[in-house]
Amino acid sequence: MSSNILKEIIEKRQNDINQLGLDFACQIPESRKRKIHPFINEKGVILEIKRASPSKGDIAPNLDAAATAYEYTKANAKAISCLTEKNYFKGSLNDFVEVANTLDKLEKDGYEIPALLRKDFLLSTEEIDISFKAGADAVLLIARILEKDIMLDMAKRCASHGMSMLIEIRENKDLAKLKAIADEIDHKYIVAGVNARDLKDFSIDLLTPAALLSSIKEILGENARVVFESGIRTAQAASFAGSLGFIAMLLGEAAAKKPKDAVNLVNAFVNAKQNKNSKQWLSYASMLQSKKEKGITRPFIKVCGITNKEDALKAAELGADFLGFIFCKESKRAIQALNMPEIVASLEREGFRNKVKLVAVITETNSEEAQLAYDMLAGGAIDFIQLHSCGKSIENGQFDSSIPHYAAVNINCEEDLKDIDGLQLLGEARILIDAKVANQTGGTGVRIEKRLVEKVAKKTKLWLAGGITACNVAEIIQELKPELIDIATGIEEKAGKKDFSKMEMFFDNIKKVTGER
């Protein structure tokens, strides 16, 4: 697949317009036949009529648009998104008109029908008019592909028809376009959406929507209607998205493949409430957004295997973002429970507690040490649980997903990458990878093979541990561009005791390679 598939889609679409016209040779009513329905006024899900995609190929090639619209209506969708792009998504305006007609029939039969969204790569105000005639209650405007002035004209045309717009945001520069529209258009017509999928290469990051949420609310107000778009395929992932504070979720592949099962995903999203896990990931997403706005390229740093207050304070002083404590009695770096209150108190006293996140690393979810970690988290002494080599507990539903957490997976071959795929499918926002060595779960001092790391980096934002030292950290940052680096043995004097000179060299080398002052 091309590295700039978005450009290809638009070029082919423009060629089709030149040859076929703005209606793509489809049968469009000469004037609108249906009333306008409100678009996303309360929490709910947008289910998508989608036969294919550039990233997945055929998804549901034999999909019946009218029958699918009926199933989505029964599943209590708040809106139906109908793709009309033909080259990569195998949709059409004929599908769209068919769905509009189906919804009108269902409404006459007494159903509460969803709003209808035209999802396409619209390029002009004339396409807004076509969408209105075809029966759209809302259209997608992709900020990334539209110049500000053209986008504003398209937004004004939507409002003049009484139609809503779903303005898709992906990058910081898109926010200026959203603000230009918000300054001139009644907000009742504006719904913002953030795509978890990057339309350049179709990679997915579930935290991209969370990172932009607060910025959008600054523009549209605290009651802004913001949609979490793409990347959700399971009820667990839908629940995670629903806990982050979005009014709606746009669901494509998972719904199109099994329309009759869509209700489970709808309910998971709608019933999800904010919890401690979502609050911590929102906080982390804000950290990501702040770094991006400031142009900071330095990865987050987690110093792990800390056992005493001196090492904790030194790591925090040098700029660590996370401090890790091993809650596993078999580990040579296990934290003594009695030391934790003193460490936390020292960090608070020196003004570091609000600058670092404290992580309890557990290797079993039902051990005494794990319960101690849970208790400390409940009391505010710990911020995250790292589930090291016990990700199966997440997959089997044996871990309370409302607890702030992430999984760590040990890998040494391609077969191990399936564990990452499984966790991503369940909506795990970040996954740390470490080297797999015999029966060790961490602190191996061994690097993961570079080709495996590169494959992981194509699946998820890279959180990297294993064999990192002051001597190789600059090379790792330059070549692999990790979002987070986790170091333990590489800056130790001995197991459980850090070497301050190695720590200083480690942070100095990071500053040199990232240009940090």
Side-chain angles (χ1 to χ4, degrees):
M1 186 171 63
S2 168
S3 61
N4 198 346
I5 193 71
L6 181 59
K7 183 179 178 183
E8 287 185 16
I9 291 171
I10 293 169
E11 287 177 352
K12 285 190 177 183
R13 192 173 183 280
Q14 188 62 63
N15 287 337
D16 289 338
I17 290 172
N18 294 340
Q19 293 180 26
L20 302 172
L22 291 169
D23 59 4
F24 296 87
C26 296
Q27 298 300 310
I28 306 299
E30 290 185 10
S31 61
R32 187 181 180 95
K33 305 295 185 184
R34 62 197 306 261
K35 69 179 185 182
I36 290 178
H37 300 80
F39 180 67
I40 309 298
N41 285 338
E42 58 185 10
K43 189 173 183 180
V45 175
I46 306 169
L47 298 180
E48 192 153 83
I49 293 174
K50 179 178 187 178
R51 292 192 179 88
S53 77
S55 59
K56 299 291 184 180
D58 283 346
I59 293 170
N62 299 317
L63 177 147
D64 182 308
T68 303
Y70 174 57
E71 293 296 341
Y72 287 174
T73 300
K74 290 197 299 181
N76 299 317
K78 288 297 176 190
I80 291 176
S81 165
C82 185
L83 272 152
T84 58
E85 195 280 335
K86 71 169 191 173
N87 296 305
Y88 292 87
F89 296 90
K90 297 186 178 178
S92 75
L93 276 166
N94 286 332
D95 277 346
F96 194 87
V97 172
E98 186 178 357
V99 170
N101 291 336
T102 299
L103 293 178
D104 288 345
K105 290 175 185 176
L106 291 173
E107 188 169 33
K108 288 178 182 178
D109 290 340
Y111 285 88
E112 183 178 341
I113 67 165
L116 182 54
L117 168 73
R118 182 184 179 189
K119 189 175 181 187
D120 206 328
F121 301 79
L122 305 184
L123 302 171
S124 68
T125 54
E126 290 78 12
E127 291 203 271
I128 304 300
D129 296 334
I130 292 283
S131 303
F132 176 72
K133 291 178 183 179
D137 300 307
V139 296
L140 177 69
L141 301 181
I142 304 173
R144 193 170 185 171
I145 68 172
L146 295 168
E147 296 295 332
K148 185 172 69 174
D149 291 344
I150 293 173
M151 192 171 173
L152 181 56
D153 286 343
M154 293 170 75
K156 288 178 178 178
R157 187 66 61 89
C158 281
S160 72
H161 287 308
M163 293 166 55
S164 296
M165 63 205 80
L166 175 58
I167 300 176
E168 183 173 292
I169 307 298
R170 174 70 197 188
E171 301 171 338
N172 285 347
K173 62 184 179 182
D174 297 335
L175 293 169
K177 297 176 184 178
L178 176 64
K179 187 174 187 312
I181 291 171
D183 286 344
E184 296 200 34
I185 303 291
D186 192 321
H187 291 191
K188 71 180 181 181
Y189 298 116
I190 302 174
V191 178
V194 187
N195 203 331
R197 179 177 282 114
D198 189 333
L199 294 179
K200 274 188 178 176
D201 57 15
F202 285 81
S203 61
I204 291 172
D205 177 10
L206 297 184
L207 290 185
T208 295
L212 288 167
L213 188 58
S214 61
S215 297
I216 292 171
K217 288 187 174 184
E218 285 179 11
I219 294 170
L220 295 177
E222 194 57 37
N223 295 321
R225 293 169 292 160
V226 189
V227 179
F228 187 108
E229 296 181 47
S230 302
I232 302 298
R233 289 183 286 160
T234 63
Q236 295 92 328
S239 182
F240 175 68
S243 71
L244 292 170
F246 293 88
I247 193 172
M249 170 182 71
L250 192 150
L251 198 64
E253 177 188 346
K257 278 186 173 180
K258 297 181 178 180
K260 291 183 179 180
D261 294 342
V263 66
N264 297 325
L265 299 170
V266 171
N267 290 339
F269 176 83
V270 172
N271 294 329
K273 309 294 183 188
Q274 192 173 75
N275 54 45
K276 288 185 177 180
N277 185 53
S278 60
K279 286 180 180 177
Q280 283 293 356
W281 284 115
L282 284 166
S283 172
Y284 178 77
S286 293
M287 292 164 62
L288 283 174
Q289 179 68 358
S290 177
K291 282 181 63 176
K292 187 179 287 188
E293 289 174 351
K294 295 174 182 175
I296 297 173
T297 59
R298 191 199 82 155
F300 289 115
I301 306 298
K302 173 172 171 268
V303 176
C304 202
I306 289 176
T307 62
N308 57 81
K309 68 177 183 181
E310 291 79 16
D311 288 355
L313 287 170
K314 185 64 174 178
E317 176 191 323
L318 289 171
D321 304 286
F322 295 78
L323 303 180
F325 306 89
I326 312 298
F327 282 69
C328 172
K329 60 186 177 184
E330 287 81 16
S331 173
K332 295 179 288 187
R333 300 169 183 83
I335 182 72
Q336 297 297 313
L338 293 176
N339 289 349
M340 277 303 299
E342 182 184 17
I343 292 172
V344 174
S346 297
L347 290 168
E348 288 179 345
R349 189 167 53 249
E350 297 300 322
F352 292 121
R353 181 62 186 95
N354 291 330
K355 298 178 181 178
V356 294
K357 291 190 180 292
L358 307 188
V359 180
V361 180
I362 65 173
T363 55
E364 296 177 59
T365 55
N366 295 317
S367 65
E368 289 183 16
E369 294 94 334
Q371 188 56 56
L372 178 60
Y374 302 151
D375 291 343
M376 288 187 173
L377 187 144
I382 292 292
D383 300 306
F384 273 107
I385 301 292
Q386 177 178 310
L387 298 164
H388 206 111
S389 298
C390 49
K392 292 295 181 185
S393 297
I394 298 174
E395 295 181 14
N396 298 333
Q398 297 171 342
F399 179 78
D400 181 357
S401 61
S402 69
I403 294 173
H405 70 280
Y406 61 88
V409 175
N410 292 88
I411 65 174
N412 68 1
C413 65
E414 291 200 26
E415 184 70 19
D416 294 328
L417 303 187
K418 292 180 181 178
D419 292 335
I420 296 171
D421 294 336
L423 289 166
Q424 280 190 289
L425 193 63
L426 296 175
E428 292 300 307
R430 291 292 185 267
I431 300 161
L432 176 72
I433 58 169
D434 199 352
K436 181 187 282 188
V437 178
N439 294 321
Q440 291 180 255
T441 55
T444 63
V446 175
R447 287 186 66 175
I448 305 169
E449 194 176 342
K450 184 181 175 183
R451 67 177 183 86
L452 293 175
V453 176
E454 289 174 338
K455 291 198 171 193
V456 172
K458 291 180 180 179
K459 296 174 179 286
T460 182
K461 297 295 183 181
L462 191 59
W463 281 28
L464 182 63
I468 300 169
T469 67
C471 295
N472 65 22
V473 68
E475 170 200 343
I476 288 170
I477 290 172
Q478 286 177 317
E479 292 187 357
L480 300 172
K481 296 178 173 53
E483 183 179 279
L484 179 144
I485 284 175
D486 184 322
I487 188 167
T489 60
I491 49 174
E492 283 184 332
E493 176 184 310
K494 60 181 180 179
K497 181 69 183 79
K498 302 305 179 192
D499 183 316
F500 284 9
S501 62
K502 289 181 181 178
M503 288 177 71
E504 288 168 355
M505 186 186 303
F506 172 75
F507 280 96
D508 283 345
N509 287 343
I510 291 173
K511 288 179 179 178
K512 288 176 184 176
V513 76
T514 60
E516 183 183 356
R517 294 180 181 179

